[in-house]
């Protein structure tokens, strides 16, 4: 049906007019600037004082119980029986030989997904998980792919049943006996399909209005307006409700609803402990001895007046040092800061539309995080470990959870700042895997001349406008951040 037919045409033109008015008077729209970036100037002494904050000095600690849990998690990580097809394991996308990524632009589980697989290396230091931060702990992150229709396509009933059939001894050695309330279901020969119905949510109307007004692809914007008209809703109301559709009932969700309250609690507890065991393995994956780190160690051991070149060595020489200076002076460290080279925050860097789907990023991730029954507020009671744990229970993200606002316009089109450690080993790049090479990423930041897919590029982000040789130096520095991946839970297990 045409957008310009009958009364619908009038309403659509009215909506477009209102969108235009909103664009004109919308409060605090963070429009970007094309002015030339002016680099900072750091002395060698200043750079040396900054280096201590870039070393990955902390590492996860493991108790004896946590090492046993990590050993169980290591086995679960590669077990494809925890998927609907029997062919997808965590290791299918997070491949150890690829620094726990998969080398694809978009992850493929049961079916292709819409985002790139991020690395799990050094995830012990992260505050938020997934590109949109919809999980606030490693344990919560593990659950997402297993229950996602496009990834493992599994449910927690079958997860508990698979644990009972193949890992009962290891599970009960760690956590105690499986709950008696569920033994009948776990022992049955047919599949025990049970899954709680996810909590429904919709975007705040103000966010939907802002997002609709700032969609960069005109045809995509018209499609959303047309969809709203077809649904006899204002387009912003339709976007608010349809961007993340309400979960649909399935036989598994009806089976879960039919369980007693105690059975539901017990099943959620089994699933929380399954996820926690996987998380113990994942948090032990660390890369910390890069050429850049070894350079820092050598330089800091020398007298304060020693020039940087006296500490150069294998994998870090003059070009890498020039690249590091460019990295600092061009403002890259504004977001890629700290030991993991990530501020653990979310930014709209102005990437143009890529593909046919609208991806609102963090602003939708916040909604999903708030709705998650196993976020930091709900998980501890379900997990209820029968032994002390070294893993930090209340992280920065957990303390922030009650105060996160759901209506921040700057979170529209914003995605998590990825770590730069081992970045040379994990192509392609960005949340949608659009860039095949590091040089492509740097070329984008050098220009910043395209219209964002949705929302507005952060004002603080300026084009680098570097010369070709400077870009080569910068890329060389990024490559110096790669280190072998260690499995600390396994190393500790051997002590």
């Amino acid at each position: 049906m045409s957008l310009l037919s009958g009364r619908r045409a009038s309403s659509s033109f009215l909506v477009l007019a209102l969108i235009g008015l909103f664009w004109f008077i919308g409060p605090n729209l963070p429009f970007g600037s094309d002015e030339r970036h002016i680099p900072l100037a750091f002395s060698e002494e200043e750079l040396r004082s900054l280096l201590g904050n870039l070393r990955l000095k902390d590492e996860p600690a493991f108790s004896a119980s946590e090492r046993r849990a990590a050993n169980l998690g290591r086995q679960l990580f590669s077990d494809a029986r925890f998927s609907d097809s029997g062919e997808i394991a965590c290791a299918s996308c997070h491949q150890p030989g690829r620094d726990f990524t998969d080398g694809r632009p978009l992850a493929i589980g049961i079916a292709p997904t819409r985002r790139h697989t991020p690395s799990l290396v050094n995830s012990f230091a992260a505050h938020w998980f997934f590109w949109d931060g919809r999980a606030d702990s490693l344990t919560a992150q593990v659950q997402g792919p297993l229950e996602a229709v496009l990834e493992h396509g599994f449910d927690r009933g079958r997860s508990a049943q698979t644990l009972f059939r193949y890992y009962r001894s290891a599970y009960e050695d760690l956590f105690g006996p499986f709950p008696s309330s569920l033994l009948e279901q776990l022992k049955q020969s047919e599949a025990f399909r049970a899954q709680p119905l996810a909590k429904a949510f919709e975007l705040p109307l103000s966010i939907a209005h802002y997002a609709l007004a700032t969609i960069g692809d005109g045809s995509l914007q018209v499609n959303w307006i047309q969809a709203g008209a077809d649904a006899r809703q204002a387009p912003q109301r339709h976007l608010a409700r349809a961007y993340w559709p309400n979960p649909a009932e399935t036989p598994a969700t009806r089976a879960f609803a039919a369980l007693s309250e105690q059975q539901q609690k017990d099943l959620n507890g089994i699933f929380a402990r399954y996820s926690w065991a996987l998380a113990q393995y994942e948090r032990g994956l660390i890369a910390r001895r890069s050429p850049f780190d070894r350079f820092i160690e050598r330089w800091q051991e020398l007298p304060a007046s020693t020039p940087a070149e006296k500490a150069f060595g294998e994998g870090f020489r003059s070009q890498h040092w020039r690249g590091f200076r460019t990295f600092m002076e061009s403002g890259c460290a504004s977001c890629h800061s700290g030991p993991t080279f990530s501020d653990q925050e979310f930014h709209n860097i102005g990437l143009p539309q890529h593909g046919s789907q609208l991806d609102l990023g963090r602003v939708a991730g916040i909604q999903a995080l708030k709705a998650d029954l196993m976020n930091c507020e709900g998980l501890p009671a379900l997990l209820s470990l029968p032994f002390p744990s070294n893993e930090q229970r209340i992280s920065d993200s957990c303390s922030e959870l009650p105060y996160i606002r759901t209506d921040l316009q700057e979170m529209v089109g914003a995605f998590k700042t990825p770590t730069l450690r081992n970045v040379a080993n994990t192509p392609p790049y960005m949340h949608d895997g659009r860039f095949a090479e590091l040089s492509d990423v740097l070329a984008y930041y050098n220009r910043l001349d395209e219209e964002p897919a949705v929302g507005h590029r952060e004002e603080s982000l300026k084009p680098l406008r570097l010369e070709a040789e400077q870009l080569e130096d910068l890329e060389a520095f990024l490559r110096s951040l790669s280190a072998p991946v260690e499995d600390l839970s396994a190393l500790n297990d051997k002590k």
Side-chain angles (χ1 to χ4, degrees), residues 462-488:
K462 312 297 182 188
L464 297 178
R465 304 201 188 281
L466 300 174
E467 303 295 336
E469 185 177 354
Q470 291 175 297
L471 290 172
E472 291 173 3
D473 294 344
L474 182 52
E475 182 175 343
F477 164 66
L478 295 177
R479 293 185 180 280
S480 78
L481 299 177
S482 293
V485 178
E486 305 170 63
D487 181 352
L488 292 193

Side-chain angles (χ1 to χ4, degrees), residues 21 48 68 101 215 245 332 363 371 389 406 427 443:
L21 181 62
R48 180 169 178 162
R68 287 162 49 216
T101 61
I215 294 175
C332 302
V363 76
S389 171
T406 61

Side-chain angles (χ1 to χ4, degrees), residues 130-328:
F130 299 111
W131 284 101
D132 58 9
R134 65 184 183 275
D136 54 13
S137 69
L138 258 179
T139 301
Q141 178 274 324
V142 166
Q143 298 164 4
L146 189 111
E147 297 181 319
V149 174
L150 298 180
E151 297 185 57
H152 290 239
F154 221 43
D155 58 77
R156 60 193 64 182
R158 285 184 289 171
S159 297
Q161 191 177 47
T162 306
L163 273 173
F164 185 81
R165 286 177 178 173
Y166 302 107
Y167 296 96
R168 182 175 183 179
S169 177
Y171 178 95
E172 293 189 335
D173 283 347
L174 270 169
F175 304 119
F178 278 88
S180 58
S181 68
L182 291 171
L183 286 180
E184 180 181 342
Q185 288 86 349
L186 297 178
K187 289 178 178 179
Q188 67 188 19
S189 57
E190 61 271 19
F192 172 39
R193 297 175 183 267
Q195 179 73 22
L197 187 64
K199 199 172 174 183
F201 66 86
E202 61 183 56
L203 299 173
L205 192 57
S206 61
I207 289 297
H209 202 162
Y210 173 79
L212 188 64
T214 58
I215 294 175
D217 183 328
S219 62
L220 184 59
Q221 186 179 60
V222 168
N223 287 345
W224 275 103
I225 294 171
Q226 178 69 65
D230 290 343
R232 298 183 178 278
Q233 293 177 336
Q236 62 268 30
R237 173 65 68 185
H238 180 70
L239 177 61
R241 293 176 173 173
Y243 176 77
W244 197 296
N246 288 344
E249 282 196 355
T250 66
T253 63
R254 289 190 284 271
F256 184 88
L259 296 174
S260 70
E261 185 176 341
Q262 185 61 50
Q263 287 175 318
Q264 292 179 357
K265 181 180 178 181
D266 288 341
L267 181 55
N268 287 335
I270 294 172
F271 192 56
R273 291 175 172 188
Y274 157 85
S275 304
W276 184 82
L278 269 166
Q280 298 317 294
Y281 166 61
E282 291 182 3
R283 75 183 181 94
L285 302 173
I286 186 171
R288 54 184 173 171
R289 294 284 296 161
S290 70
F292 176 67
D293 295 302
R294 295 196 298 272
F295 158 72
I296 296 175
E297 289 176 5
R298 289 191 298 267
W299 199 19
Q300 293 188 331
E301 289 172 357
L302 296 172
S305 58
T306 306
E309 57 263 26
K310 296 295 183 181
F312 292 167
E314 184 179 357
F316 197 92
R317 302 191 185 278
S318 297
Q319 185 184 31
H320 307 93
W321 176 242
R322 292 196 306 269
F324 173 65
R325 294 193 68 109
T326 299
F327 179 86
M328 298 299 297

Side-chain angles (χ1 to χ4, degrees), residues 340-362:
T340 63
F341 290 85
S342 169
D343 62 1
Q344 307 292 330
E345 294 298 338
F346 302 83
H347 304 276
N348 186 334
I349 63 170
L351 288 168
Q353 183 66 28
H354 185 70
S356 60
Q357 290 187 322
L358 177 66
D359 197 336
L360 297 182
R362 176 58 169 168

